[in-house]
Amino acid sequence: MVVNIYPFRRDMGQILGLVQVDQSTVAIKESFGKFSEVLEPGCHFLPWCIGQQIAGYLSLRVRQLDVRCETKTKDNVFVTVVASVQYRALAEKASDAFYKLSNTREQIQSYVFDVIRATVPKLELDDAFEQKNDIAKAVEEELEKAMSMYGYEIVQTLIVDIEPDDPARMREAASEKAEAEKILQIKKAEGEAESKYLAGVGIARQRQAIVDGLRDSVLAFSANVPGTTAKDVMDMVLVTQYFDTMRDIGASSKASSVFIPHGPGAVKDVAAQIRDGLLQANLQ
């Protein structure tokens, strides 16, 4: 013989006058439509024939409500503040939690809106990000004060995120990009100025080395060859350097044709031109 054993059914138990209340839950007992008592988890005898019944059940577990609130900061940036509220009903105030509020989530959401829209407009966007904990604390204190009279406890309140609107994000990105380009331009200008300064120092040193070398050559030649003047030695040195330069130009792979004067008087003119050009460069 096979015997079927069926688990306890709540509707069958109510017919027999037995009620089961699950763990982390309380039941609201009424007698002839009037609140009688709060039933703890377990099995209870409830004779319906004398007007006793269960009006409903109330969970004592922690629940979470995420609230998105749109508001504006002090610097006129529209933001969406995302708040997360964790709350639960108190067993000792279960009757208040069951009878006083018809929609707990909407009530909590209204208080969150009120506090956020009164707090965030006093702060600029950067300050709002820095003071997220202060905003969450203000919301939690207001909710705790308001919801305690309805039989609810606020476990914790968090400001999960602060989302600026798209135009604000674009402005912020454009501002950061402009600032980065400004820094690059400044660094580039500083680099060019430093490069030109170093190039100028190099040219000045080169000219000074040329002058020192020419002076030493003139003094040495005048001392070893009697009767020569400094001007004669200078002309000879300059003409020698001039022809050395022409030779280097002709030897270059990129050179094509170079036309230079070839008469005896041309050498004197070349020397004069080189000397005058070098002296003018030194004066500048």
Side-chain angles (χ1 to χ4, degrees):
M1 181 177 63
V2 179
V3 179
N4 294 326
I5 300 176
Y6 296 96
F8 177 80
R9 292 177 57 185
R10 181 170 291 175
D11 53 354
M12 184 180 294
Q14 289 179 352
I15 294 176
L16 299 176
L18 296 177
V19 176
Q20 175 182 310
V21 180
D22 297 332
Q23 185 65 34
S24 300
T25 306
V26 294
I28 306 301
K29 175 183 175 182
E30 291 182 348
S31 296
F32 295 105
K34 182 180 179 180
F35 170 72
S36 175
E37 63 176 320
V38 177
L39 302 181
E40 299 290 335
C43 187
H44 302 272
F45 178 66
L46 211 69
W48 56 269
C49 56
I50 58 174
Q52 294 185 357
Q53 64 177 357
I54 297 297
Y57 296 87
L58 185 66
S59 175
L60 301 180
R61 296 178 180 178
V62 176
R63 286 173 283 182
Q64 179 169 308
L65 173 63
D66 293 329
V67 181
R68 298 178 64 88
C69 177
E70 295 182 359
T71 184
K72 187 174 69 171
T73 61
K74 187 177 180 180
D75 48 350
N76 295 322
V77 177
F78 287 92
V79 295
T80 299
V81 181
V82 183
S84 180
V85 181
Q86 297 175 351
Y87 65 99
R88 67 182 175 187
L90 297 173
E92 61 272 18
K93 294 184 178 181
S95 60
D96 292 336
F98 185 80
Y99 288 106
K100 286 187 176 182
L101 284 180
S102 60
N103 194 321
T104 306
R105 297 174 70 88
E106 288 187 1
Q107 186 74 13
I108 293 176
Q109 181 173 289
S110 298
Y111 282 109
V112 172
F113 280 176
D114 183 65
V115 176
I116 289 179
R117 288 174 176 168
T119 305
V120 175
K122 298 178 182 178
L123 304 173
E124 295 186 355
L125 181 60
D126 293 339
D127 296 334
F129 279 102
E130 294 176 359
Q131 300 182 28
K132 287 171 58 177
N133 292 336
D134 295 337
I135 299 173
K137 185 177 179 180
V139 173
E140 184 174 341
E141 290 177 352
E142 184 66 23
L143 284 175
E144 185 68 31
K145 181 173 60 177
M147 298 303 294
S148 60
M149 68 178 65
Y150 298 115
Y152 282 91
E153 175 191 13
I154 304 301
V155 179
Q156 191 174 21
T157 302
L158 301 173
I159 299 299
V160 180
D161 196 9
I162 298 178
E163 304 172 354
D165 61 351
D166 292 338
R169 292 179 180 177
M170 293 176 64
R171 289 195 300 270
E172 185 70 18
S175 176
E176 292 180 357
K177 181 179 179 181
E179 186 66 22
E181 291 179 351
K182 176 182 176 182
I183 294 174
L184 289 176
Q185 292 292 336
I186 292 175
K187 293 300 181 181
K188 181 179 179 181
E190 291 177 351
E192 291 179 352
E194 183 69 16
S195 176
K196 291 179 180 179
Y197 170 76
L198 294 176
V201 171
I203 292 173
R205 290 177 179 176
Q206 181 186 18
R207 290 177 177 176
Q208 184 63 43
I210 291 174
V211 172
D212 293 341
L214 292 176
R215 183 184 63 248
D216 294 341
S217 298
V218 170
L219 292 177
F221 198 90
S222 299
N224 294 327
V225 181
T228 59
T229 64
K231 179 178 179 301
D232 296 333
V233 178
M234 188 69 176
D235 290 342
M236 185 185 67
V237 172
L238 291 178
V239 170
T240 302
Q241 289 185 345
Y242 173 76
F243 284 111
D244 288 342
T245 302
M246 290 296 100
R247 181 193 61 193
D248 294 337
I249 294 176
S252 175
S253 59
K254 296 182 180 180
S256 56
S257 299
V258 179
F259 295 94
I260 59 174
H262 61 280
V267 177
K268 181 178 180 181
D269 295 338
V270 169
Q273 292 176 10
I274 295 174
R275 183 173 59 252
D276 293 342
L278 187 60
L279 291 176
Q280 290 178 3
N282 289 332
L283 291 176
Q284 292 177 356

